[in-house]
Amino acid sequence: MESYYDRKDLPKFDEIAKEAPELGKKFFDYYASVFSEGDLTEREKALIALAVAHTIQCPYCIDAYTQACFEKGSNLAEMTEALHVAVAIRGGASLVHGLQMRNVAAKISM
């Protein structure tokens, strides 16, 4: 089955900087800094990234951070729990926007 996304593209991510090397270097330096050990551990940051990857529905990020989570010591239960946190936040955000719908509905029905 053909798909828009090709797993073989993920290892080629750094090629995106070929025509804009300065911008690419800045992005990848920043990216590396964000994911290095800080107040949060690299393992915690990988779990956050995995959760965010699901909210933005990036298959490359899901693949990369599933692998990263295992490499940094997370287990499937922790990864699943992180996913549920993302789902709860995304679902809650959708529901709270329902207040906008209710406000518009109230104006229309006046």
Side-chain angles (χ1 to χ4, degrees):
M1 174 190 268
E2 191 172 323
S3 168
Y4 179 79
Y5 298 101
D6 187 341
R7 289 174 187 266
K8 290 181 283 189
D9 286 339
L10 184 57
K12 300 186 289 187
F13 183 35
D14 61 345
E15 290 179 17
I16 201 68
K18 277 188 175 177
E19 278 71 36
E22 283 186 39
L23 292 174
K25 181 179 180 345
K26 288 178 181 178
F27 174 80
F28 288 112
D29 286 348
Y30 168 77
Y31 197 92
S33 293
V34 166
F35 282 95
S36 65
E37 194 90 8
D39 289 331
L40 296 175
T41 65
E42 290 183 8
R43 188 184 74 79
E44 292 167 330
K45 290 180 178 185
L47 285 168
I48 293 168
L50 181 64
V52 171
H54 284 81
T55 64
I56 63 171
Q57 299 177 329
C58 174
Y60 298 115
C61 299
I62 292 170
D63 284 1
Y65 285 99
T66 297
Q67 180 73 34
C69 283
F70 278 130
E71 289 172 358
K72 296 185 183 311
S74 292
N75 59 42
L76 188 55
E78 293 169 324
M79 294 158 57
T80 302
E81 192 170 319
L83 169 61
H84 281 286
V85 170
V87 169
I89 293 297
R90 186 159 186 152
S94 294
L95 285 176
V96 81
H97 278 85
L99 295 175
Q100 180 70 16
M101 176 272 297
R102 294 179 61 82
N103 291 340
V104 171
K107 284 182 186 174
I108 291 172
S109 61
M110 290 177 105

